[in-house]
Short mmCIF file of all heavy atoms in Angstrom, two decimals:
data_model
loop_
_atom_site.label_atom_id
_atom_site.label_comp_id
_atom_site.label_asym_id
_atom_site.label_seq_id
_atom_site.Cartn_x
_atom_site.Cartn_y
_atom_site.Cartn_z
N GLN D 225 -25.93 12.75 19.33
CA GLN D 225 -26.61 14.03 19.46
C GLN D 225 -27.52 14.33 18.20
O GLN D 225 -27.87 15.45 18.02
CB GLN D 225 -25.63 15.18 19.66
CG GLN D 225 -24.63 15.40 18.56
CD GLN D 225 -23.32 14.66 18.77
OE1 GLN D 225 -23.31 13.56 19.28
NE2 GLN D 225 -22.22 15.26 18.37
N GLN D 226 -27.76 13.29 17.43
CA GLN D 226 -28.62 13.49 16.28
C GLN D 226 -30.01 14.09 16.71
O GLN D 226 -30.56 13.61 17.72
CB GLN D 226 -28.87 12.21 15.45
CG GLN D 226 -29.84 12.37 14.30
CD GLN D 226 -29.97 11.16 13.39
OE1 GLN D 226 -28.97 10.65 13.00
NE2 GLN D 226 -31.19 10.73 13.11
N ARG D 227 -30.46 15.07 15.98
CA ARG D 227 -31.78 15.67 16.28
C ARG D 227 -32.59 15.69 14.96
O ARG D 227 -32.03 15.78 13.91
CB ARG D 227 -31.70 17.05 16.84
CG ARG D 227 -30.97 17.21 18.16
CD ARG D 227 -31.25 18.53 18.80
NE ARG D 227 -30.86 19.64 17.83
CZ ARG D 227 -31.49 20.81 17.84
NH1 ARG D 227 -32.51 21.06 18.65
NH2 ARG D 227 -31.15 21.75 17.00
N GLU D 228 -33.90 15.61 15.12
CA GLU D 228 -34.78 15.68 13.93
C GLU D 228 -35.95 16.60 14.13
O GLU D 228 -36.56 16.65 15.22
CB GLU D 228 -35.32 14.21 13.70
CG GLU D 228 -36.41 14.14 12.63
CD GLU D 228 -37.26 12.86 12.81
OE1 GLU D 228 -37.04 12.14 13.81
OE2 GLU D 228 -38.13 12.68 11.95
N CYS D 229 -36.25 17.34 13.08
CA CYS D 229 -37.38 18.23 13.13
C CYS D 229 -38.27 17.89 11.91
O CYS D 229 -37.83 17.99 10.80
CB CYS D 229 -36.95 19.66 13.04
SG CYS D 229 -38.31 20.88 12.95
N ARG D 230 -39.53 17.45 12.15
CA ARG D 230 -40.45 17.14 11.08
C ARG D 230 -41.30 18.41 10.80
O ARG D 230 -41.70 19.10 11.75
CB ARG D 230 -41.36 15.99 11.46
CG ARG D 230 -40.69 14.71 11.68
CD ARG D 230 -40.13 14.06 10.41
NE ARG D 230 -39.49 12.78 10.73
CZ ARG D 230 -39.99 11.59 10.40
NH1 ARG D 230 -41.13 11.50 9.79
NH2 ARG D 230 -39.32 10.54 10.72
N SER D 231 -41.53 18.65 9.52
CA SER D 231 -42.25 19.89 9.12
C SER D 231 -42.90 19.64 7.80
O SER D 231 -43.00 18.52 7.31
CB SER D 231 -41.26 21.05 9.10
OG SER D 231 -41.89 22.26 8.79
N SER D 232 -43.22 20.72 7.13
CA SER D 232 -43.72 20.70 5.73
C SER D 232 -42.92 21.72 4.97
O SER D 232 -42.26 22.57 5.58
CB SER D 232 -45.21 21.09 5.67
OG SER D 232 -45.47 22.40 6.07
N LEU D 233 -43.02 21.65 3.70
CA LEU D 233 -42.33 22.59 2.83
C LEU D 233 -42.74 24.07 3.16
O LEU D 233 -41.87 24.92 3.22
CB LEU D 233 -42.53 22.31 1.36
CG LEU D 233 -41.59 22.93 0.34
CD1 LEU D 233 -40.19 22.64 0.64
CD2 LEU D 233 -41.95 22.48 -1.05
N ALA D 234 -44.02 24.25 3.39
CA ALA D 234 -44.48 25.60 3.71
C ALA D 234 -44.00 26.10 5.02
O ALA D 234 -43.72 27.35 5.18
CB ALA D 234 -46.00 25.61 3.72
N ASP D 235 -43.77 25.26 6.02
CA ASP D 235 -43.41 25.71 7.37
C ASP D 235 -41.97 25.44 7.73
O ASP D 235 -41.49 25.70 8.84
CB ASP D 235 -44.29 24.96 8.39
CG ASP D 235 -45.75 25.28 8.25
OD1 ASP D 235 -46.08 26.40 7.84
OD2 ASP D 235 -46.58 24.41 8.55
N MET D 236 -41.23 24.94 6.72
CA MET D 236 -39.79 24.51 6.99
C MET D 236 -38.96 25.59 7.62
O MET D 236 -38.27 25.36 8.57
CB MET D 236 -39.24 24.03 5.68
CG MET D 236 -37.84 23.58 5.73
SD MET D 236 -37.28 22.91 4.13
CE MET D 236 -37.31 24.37 3.10
N CYS D 237 -38.94 26.83 7.03
CA CYS D 237 -38.13 27.85 7.57
C CYS D 237 -38.49 28.29 8.92
O CYS D 237 -37.63 28.43 9.81
CB CYS D 237 -38.15 29.10 6.52
SG CYS D 237 -37.52 28.73 4.99
N ARG D 238 -39.76 28.41 9.20
CA ARG D 238 -40.21 28.85 10.47
C ARG D 238 -39.84 27.78 11.52
O ARG D 238 -39.34 28.05 12.66
CB ARG D 238 -41.75 29.04 10.51
CG ARG D 238 -42.33 29.46 11.85
CD ARG D 238 -43.83 29.14 11.93
NE ARG D 238 -44.08 27.72 11.86
CZ ARG D 238 -45.28 27.13 11.71
NH1 ARG D 238 -46.31 27.92 11.40
NH2 ARG D 238 -45.41 25.87 11.69
N ASP D 239 -40.07 26.52 11.21
CA ASP D 239 -39.81 25.39 12.20
C ASP D 239 -38.36 25.23 12.41
O ASP D 239 -37.91 24.93 13.52
CB ASP D 239 -40.41 24.10 11.67
CG ASP D 239 -41.96 24.09 11.74
OD1 ASP D 239 -42.49 25.01 12.38
OD2 ASP D 239 -42.62 23.26 11.11
N ALA D 240 -37.51 25.44 11.36
CA ALA D 240 -36.04 25.33 11.50
C ALA D 240 -35.54 26.41 12.47
O ALA D 240 -34.64 26.13 13.25
CB ALA D 240 -35.33 25.45 10.16
N LEU D 241 -36.13 27.59 12.39
CA LEU D 241 -35.71 28.65 13.24
C LEU D 241 -36.06 28.34 14.73
O LEU D 241 -35.21 28.53 15.61
CB LEU D 241 -36.35 29.97 12.82
CG LEU D 241 -35.99 31.26 13.63
CD1 LEU D 241 -34.49 31.58 13.47
CD2 LEU D 241 -36.82 32.41 13.17
N ALA D 242 -37.28 27.86 14.93
CA ALA D 242 -37.70 27.56 16.25
C ALA D 242 -36.85 26.36 16.86
O ALA D 242 -36.60 26.31 18.03
CB ALA D 242 -39.17 27.14 16.30
N PHE D 243 -36.49 25.46 16.00
CA PHE D 243 -35.72 24.26 16.31
C PHE D 243 -34.26 24.58 16.54
O PHE D 243 -33.53 23.81 17.12
CB PHE D 243 -35.87 23.18 15.24
CG PHE D 243 -35.34 21.81 15.55
CD1 PHE D 243 -35.92 21.04 16.49
CD2 PHE D 243 -34.21 21.40 14.86
CE1 PHE D 243 -35.38 19.76 16.75
CE2 PHE D 243 -33.71 20.14 15.07
CZ PHE D 243 -34.30 19.30 16.05
N GLN D 244 -33.87 25.76 16.06
CA GLN D 244 -32.45 26.20 16.05
C GLN D 244 -31.57 25.17 15.31
O GLN D 244 -30.51 24.72 15.81
CB GLN D 244 -31.96 26.34 17.48
CG GLN D 244 -32.65 27.42 18.26
CD GLN D 244 -32.09 27.73 19.64
OE1 GLN D 244 -31.65 26.82 20.30
NE2 GLN D 244 -32.17 29.00 20.11
N LEU D 245 -32.03 24.84 14.11
CA LEU D 245 -31.28 23.93 13.25
C LEU D 245 -29.90 24.45 12.90
O LEU D 245 -29.75 25.58 12.53
CB LEU D 245 -32.10 23.66 11.96
CG LEU D 245 -31.52 22.61 11.02
CD1 LEU D 245 -31.66 21.22 11.60
CD2 LEU D 245 -32.17 22.71 9.65
N LYS D 246 -28.90 23.61 13.02
CA LYS D 246 -27.54 23.96 12.78
C LYS D 246 -26.88 22.94 11.86
O LYS D 246 -27.26 21.77 11.83
CB LYS D 246 -26.70 24.06 14.04
CG LYS D 246 -27.18 25.18 15.01
CD LYS D 246 -26.34 25.26 16.25
CE LYS D 246 -26.82 26.36 17.20
NZ LYS D 246 -28.23 26.13 17.68
N SER D 247 -25.83 23.31 11.17
CA SER D 247 -25.04 22.43 10.38
C SER D 247 -24.12 21.63 11.32
O SER D 247 -23.74 22.06 12.39
CB SER D 247 -24.17 23.19 9.45
OG SER D 247 -24.94 23.89 8.48
N PRO D 248 -23.75 20.36 10.92
CA PRO D 248 -24.14 19.72 9.66
C PRO D 248 -25.57 19.14 9.75
O PRO D 248 -25.95 18.56 10.76
CB PRO D 248 -23.11 18.63 9.53
CG PRO D 248 -22.80 18.24 10.93
CD PRO D 248 -22.85 19.55 11.70
N ALA D 249 -26.31 19.30 8.69
CA ALA D 249 -27.72 18.81 8.66
C ALA D 249 -28.08 18.52 7.20
O ALA D 249 -27.50 19.03 6.28
CB ALA D 249 -28.64 19.83 9.21
N VAL D 250 -28.97 17.56 7.08
CA VAL D 250 -29.54 17.22 5.74
C VAL D 250 -31.07 17.42 5.82
O VAL D 250 -31.68 17.26 6.89
CB VAL D 250 -29.19 15.77 5.29
CG1 VAL D 250 -27.68 15.63 5.07
CG2 VAL D 250 -29.70 14.79 6.36
N LEU D 251 -31.65 17.67 4.66
CA LEU D 251 -33.08 17.80 4.52
C LEU D 251 -33.60 16.59 3.72
O LEU D 251 -33.07 16.33 2.63
CB LEU D 251 -33.41 19.07 3.81
CG LEU D 251 -32.75 20.36 4.23
CD1 LEU D 251 -33.21 21.52 3.33
CD2 LEU D 251 -32.96 20.67 5.71
N VAL D 252 -34.63 15.98 4.21
CA VAL D 252 -35.32 14.92 3.44
C VAL D 252 -36.65 15.50 3.07
O VAL D 252 -37.48 15.79 3.94
CB VAL D 252 -35.43 13.62 4.23
CG1 VAL D 252 -36.22 12.58 3.41
CG2 VAL D 252 -34.08 13.07 4.61
N ILE D 253 -36.90 15.68 1.76
CA ILE D 253 -38.13 16.32 1.27
C ILE D 253 -38.92 15.31 0.37
O ILE D 253 -38.36 14.89 -0.62
CB ILE D 253 -37.85 17.59 0.46
CG1 ILE D 253 -37.02 18.54 1.37
CG2 ILE D 253 -39.11 18.23 0.03
CD1 ILE D 253 -36.50 19.75 0.65
N GLY D 254 -40.10 14.98 0.80
CA GLY D 254 -40.87 14.01 0.05
C GLY D 254 -41.87 13.27 0.92
O GLY D 254 -41.84 13.42 2.17
N GLU D 255 -42.77 12.53 0.35
CA GLU D 255 -43.83 11.84 1.09
C GLU D 255 -43.27 10.86 2.14
O GLU D 255 -43.85 10.59 3.14
CB GLU D 255 -44.81 11.21 0.18
CG GLU D 255 -45.62 12.24 -0.63
CD GLU D 255 -46.74 11.56 -1.43
OE1 GLU D 255 -47.55 10.85 -0.85
OE2 GLU D 255 -46.77 11.77 -2.63
N VAL D 256 -42.06 10.32 1.87
CA VAL D 256 -41.48 9.35 2.79
C VAL D 256 -41.16 10.00 4.13
O VAL D 256 -41.06 9.32 5.15
CB VAL D 256 -40.21 8.71 2.22
CG1 VAL D 256 -40.50 7.90 0.98
CG2 VAL D 256 -39.13 9.71 1.92
N ALA D 257 -40.99 11.28 4.14
CA ALA D 257 -40.68 11.97 5.38
C ALA D 257 -41.86 11.96 6.37
O ALA D 257 -41.65 12.32 7.56
CB ALA D 257 -40.26 13.47 5.12
N ALA D 258 -43.03 11.55 5.88
CA ALA D 258 -44.17 11.45 6.79
C ALA D 258 -44.32 9.99 7.30
O ALA D 258 -45.17 9.76 8.17
CB ALA D 258 -45.45 11.82 6.06
N HIS D 259 -43.48 9.11 6.80
CA HIS D 259 -43.52 7.74 7.20
C HIS D 259 -42.40 7.49 8.20
O HIS D 259 -41.22 7.65 7.91
CB HIS D 259 -43.33 6.80 6.00
CG HIS D 259 -44.47 6.79 5.07
ND1 HIS D 259 -45.28 5.71 4.88
CD2 HIS D 259 -44.91 7.79 4.24
CE1 HIS D 259 -46.19 6.00 3.96
NE2 HIS D 259 -46.06 7.28 3.58
N THR D 260 -42.75 7.06 9.43
CA THR D 260 -41.72 6.79 10.42
C THR D 260 -41.79 5.37 10.89
O THR D 260 -42.88 4.92 11.34
CB THR D 260 -41.87 7.71 11.64
OG1 THR D 260 -41.84 9.09 11.23
CG2 THR D 260 -40.85 7.50 12.64
N GLN D 261 -40.78 4.64 10.69
CA GLN D 261 -40.73 3.24 11.14
C GLN D 261 -40.15 3.12 12.50
O GLN D 261 -39.45 4.00 12.98
CB GLN D 261 -39.81 2.44 10.17
CG GLN D 261 -40.22 2.55 8.70
CD GLN D 261 -41.60 2.05 8.38
OE1 GLN D 261 -42.01 1.08 8.90
NE2 GLN D 261 -42.29 2.81 7.51
#
Side-chain angles (χ1 to χ4, degrees):
Q225 62 268 35
Q226 175 172 312
R227 299 194 305 149
E228 172 201 4
C229 177
R230 298 289 180 107
S231 183
S232 66
L233 194 55
D235 297 330
M236 178 175 68
C237 295
R238 181 199 66 192
D239 290 345
L241 183 63
F243 188 70
Q244 297 184 329
L245 184 72
K246 297 180 178 63
S247 295
V250 294
L251 316 176
V252 177
I253 303 172
E255 292 186 56
V256 295
H259 292 247
T260 303
Q261 307 298 321

